[in-house]
């Protein structure tokens, strides 16, 4: 079985095609949270909540959303904001975690 050796022109053409494809893929990959939208079902799965909880959050303005007809969408940035606002800071106390055999209580 033989092999085919590409000419310099063919290599350049392939490279140009790959460059175009790379640009197209980068344009389709939306990495900015403001450009990524999730529908209601995806939101329910991400947050692991019920439809009723999502509806309550919308009516109480807990999370921003967009409604087009009967479809509801949430921006990734709004989901991240909700989580950021809901962070409960840890209490740092002087806890002594002992590993000796005399004290097994933590």
């Amino acid at each position: 079985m033989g092999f085919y050796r590409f000419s310099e022109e063919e290599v350049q053409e392939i490279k140009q095609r790959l460059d175009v494809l790379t640009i197209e893929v980068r344009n389709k990959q939306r990495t900015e949270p403001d450009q990524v939208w999730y529908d209601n079902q995806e939101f329910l799965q991400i947050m692991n909540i019920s439809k009723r909880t999502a509806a309550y959050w919308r009516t109480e303005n807990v999370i921003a959303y967009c409604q087009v007809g009967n479809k509801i969408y949430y921006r990734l940035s709004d989901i991240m904001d909700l989580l950021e606002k809901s962070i409960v800071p840890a209490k740092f106390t002087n806890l002594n975690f002992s590993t000796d055999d005399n004290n097994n209580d933590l």
Side-chain angles (χ1 to χ4, degrees):
M1 181 184 287
F3 66 93
Y4 181 79
R5 186 173 179 121
F6 291 102
S7 70
E8 184 65 31
E9 292 170 356
E10 291 171 319
V11 170
Q12 289 302 319
E13 184 180 337
I14 291 170
K15 186 180 178 308
Q16 287 174 351
R17 286 183 183 179
L18 285 173
D19 289 342
V20 168
L21 286 173
T22 301
I23 291 169
E24 286 181 25
V25 167
R26 284 188 184 151
N27 287 338
K28 290 186 188 254
Q29 288 179 332
R30 298 179 186 170
T31 55
E32 299 213 14
D34 282 340
Q35 296 179 348
V36 179
W37 291 84
Y38 293 106
D39 67 15
N40 197 52
Q41 191 61 38
E42 292 169 322
F43 177 67
L44 298 177
Q45 291 173 346
I46 290 168
M47 298 302 288
N48 194 24
I49 59 173
S50 69
K51 288 181 181 181
R52 184 67 200 118
T53 299
Y56 176 76
W57 286 0
R58 289 191 305 270
T59 58
E60 294 297 315
N61 297 321
V62 173
I63 187 160
Y65 66 97
C66 176
Q67 186 166 357
V68 179
N70 291 330
K71 283 289 264 186
I72 298 169
Y73 299 95
Y74 304 88
R75 260 191 310 228
L76 176 58
S77 60
D78 293 328
I79 297 170
M80 292 168 53
D81 287 344
L82 170 64
L83 293 173
E84 194 67 34
K85 290 176 191 172
S86 301
I87 289 177
V88 177
K91 264 190 191 175
F92 292 104
T93 60
N94 235 352
L95 297 176
N96 291 327
F97 291 108
S98 178
T99 57
D100 63 348
D101 292 332
N102 296 334
N103 186 4
N104 291 333
D105 297 337
L106 289 178

